[in-house]
Amino acid sequence: MTSSELWTRATAERYDAEEAETSSIAALGPTLAFLAELAGDGRALEFAIGTGRVGVPLRERGVPVVGIELSEHMAVVLRRKVDADTLPVVIGDMATTVVPGEFALVYLVYNTITNLLTQDEQVECFRNAARHLAPGGRFVIELGVPPLRLLPPSQVAVPFDVSERHLGFDTFDLVEQVLVSHHFTRDADGRYRRDNSRHRYAWPAELDLMARIAGLELERRAADWDGAPFTQDSAKHISVWRKPS
């Protein structure tokens, strides 16, 4: 089903080190508080749980978490942090893989829905979330707003990071609605490593339509995990859709 590009062993092994800043207690605090409040006393299912950057600390907060992950290499890294009884992980894609039981919360963070490279697959992801939700449960997505306003005529690239260790920019195919993220990362030996990944970007209104197709209703949209209002200038959104009771 999925067209997602598979994370390699090398990428999985260095993922936590490269995401150390976004994995700190200070950085993750608002995310965990937001998700824990929505989960309440119920279980949470994380699509594309990766190395457990969010799922492991959410479980430590007392929320029972189950994960779905396409890359076995990423799941191996997660398993070093927590055992399978404490945090079960099923290997599979987030558009079609089904795990037992119902959940109060299904969540998908850090732009990961864009790993699904077709609209049909993204629609199936919403349907899969709805399939797992108990009545009244919520589906949460964290996703950047496509920065197309930054593209002057004839330009197809937008930088998103220019720092001492990393240069990053996105190139856009406006017809296919696909972007490629390019990364030039300086390793410890001083040499630069080049990586890239493809993503299908989507607008908030498009996601709302996908949610309606899956039988979900928009409940809330914020600009960040602290709940700031979403405006036309927001760089990303946290959207919450609810399954009717």
Side-chain angles (χ1 to χ4, degrees):
M1 174 66 199
T2 183
S3 59
S4 299
E5 297 177 344
L6 195 62
W7 291 74
T8 65
R9 176 176 296 166
T11 304
E13 290 294 337
R14 61 176 177 257
Y15 181 82
D16 284 348
E18 293 183 345
E19 292 297 334
E21 185 175 343
T22 65
S23 304
S24 67
I25 295 176
L28 278 181
T31 304
L32 300 176
F34 192 106
L35 296 175
E37 181 179 1
L38 288 181
D41 296 329
R43 298 195 303 159
L45 173 62
E46 181 171 357
F47 285 174
I49 194 170
T51 65
R53 184 182 69 91
V54 174
V56 170
L58 185 61
R59 179 65 185 86
E60 291 172 348
R61 283 197 170 210
V63 177
V65 176
V66 177
I68 293 175
E69 174 54 43
L70 182 63
S71 170
E72 293 186 35
H73 301 302
M74 297 288 275
V76 165
V77 176
L78 179 151
R79 194 53 67 218
R80 297 171 191 160
K81 306 172 185 178
V82 62
D83 62 70
D85 290 333
T86 303
L87 202 166
V89 175
V90 176
I91 301 299
D93 73 84
M94 56 188 165
T96 63
T97 302
V98 177
V99 301
E102 289 187 325
F103 296 84
L105 173 67
V106 178
Y107 65 95
L108 180 55
V109 299
Y110 216 32
N111 303 320
T112 311
I113 193 170
T114 66
N115 290 359
L116 298 170
L117 297 178
T118 70
Q119 186 182 70
D120 285 344
E121 289 175 356
Q122 292 178 354
V123 169
E124 288 305 315
C125 181
F126 272 82
R127 284 177 166 155
N128 201 29
R131 183 180 297 123
H132 285 92
L133 286 172
R138 275 91 169 194
F139 182 35
V140 176
I141 284 182
E142 175 189 22
L143 183 60
V145 177
L148 301 189
R149 294 168 65 186
L150 301 178
L151 283 174
S154 77
Q155 181 173 313
V156 296
V158 173
F160 60 84
D161 185 33
V162 180
S163 58
E164 184 177 350
R165 288 193 60 253
H166 179 255
L167 301 175
F169 62 92
D170 292 329
T171 55
F172 292 83
D173 182 332
L174 302 183
V175 175
E176 297 297 329
Q177 206 166 307
V178 170
L179 68 85
V180 179
S181 287
H182 304 264
H183 304 267
F184 293 85
T185 306
R186 190 174 68 181
D187 289 327
D189 60 7
R191 292 185 296 180
Y192 276 87
R193 168 173 37 87
R194 180 178 180 177
D195 301 290
N196 61 71
S197 58
R198 294 186 302 152
H199 306 269
R200 182 187 187 273
Y201 62 86
W203 302 95
E206 185 180 6
L207 298 183
D208 289 342
L209 184 55
M210 294 180 189
R212 288 179 60 188
I213 291 170
L216 304 176
E217 302 169 346
L218 180 65
E219 182 176 76
R220 180 183 180 191
R221 175 164 289 130
D224 57 32
W225 293 106
D226 288 313
F230 179 76
T231 72
Q232 64 179 3
D233 296 318
S234 298
K236 73 173 185 179
H237 61 97
I238 313 299
S239 294
V240 181
W241 297 274
R242 184 176 180 274
K243 184 174 182 177
S245 301

